[in-house]
Amino acid sequence: MTDIVIYHNPACGTSRNTLALIRNSGIEPHVIEYLKCPPTRALLAEMIERAGMRPRDLLREKGTPYADLGLGDEALSDDALLDAMMDHPVLINRPLVVTPLGVKLCRPSEAVLDILPDPQLGAFAKEDGEVVVDASGRRPA
């Protein structure tokens, strides 16, 4: 059994599509609704590092207090950005997926295919109808 964790927001279409792609590989992941149960600061910092990102790369602007908090200021330290994400979990972009193959911010949702250890079991189309996996379980050319 493969252990996969998705930091998920059920109100987000990209997050729902990512979760569905994980399930399309036959895996039922651990689903963490990060707005209700955010990761600890240490865990968030570790996931950012494992993903090869910086905290700024994980910041979400749309629908958040990003502008009000002045988070666009490039002089802000990584620690200050992590503090902001801890104070306002909505600033954490999603979905963030952890698998044995790595950690990835899955935007677009099909980015999760790069870190899933198991192949897709069949065709998959996003909620908007875009086909991202064909009937043979492969990405269309």
Side-chain angles (χ1 to χ4, degrees):
M1 176 180 267
T2 303
D3 192 23
I4 293 180
V5 177
I6 179 172
Y7 289 86
H8 178 59
N9 180 348
C12 170
T14 301
S15 196
R16 289 191 305 270
N17 284 321
T18 302
L19 177 58
L21 278 162
I22 295 168
R23 289 177 170 155
N24 197 48
S25 70
I27 297 167
E28 183 56 39
H30 298 281
V31 178
I32 298 174
E33 290 188 32
Y34 74 96
L35 294 176
K36 294 179 181 177
C37 185
T40 64
R41 189 180 198 284
L43 179 58
L44 183 61
E46 177 187 324
M47 288 188 295
I48 289 170
E49 183 178 333
R50 286 183 58 204
M53 301 171 71
R54 298 190 56 222
R56 183 165 299 285
D57 301 328
L58 193 61
L59 276 175
R60 180 168 179 81
E61 295 181 40
K62 184 179 172 187
T64 74
Y66 178 92
D68 294 340
L69 296 172
L71 298 176
D73 181 353
E74 293 292 331
L76 289 172
S77 69
D78 287 350
D79 283 335
L81 298 177
L82 281 169
D83 289 342
M85 286 187 263
M86 290 293 86
D87 292 341
H88 306 278
V90 71
L91 289 166
I92 302 170
N93 213 339
R94 78 282 178 158
L96 195 59
V97 178
V98 180
T99 80
L101 301 180
V103 178
K104 192 169 192 92
L105 174 61
C106 295
R107 300 190 74 79
S109 55
E110 58 270 26
V112 75
L113 297 172
D114 297 335
I115 60 169
L116 288 178
D118 298 321
Q120 294 289 288
L121 299 177
F124 182 84
K126 292 183 186 183
E127 291 177 358
D128 66 3
E130 179 187 353
V131 175
V132 294
V133 176
D134 65 20
S136 65
R138 294 187 183 99
R139 294 184 197 194

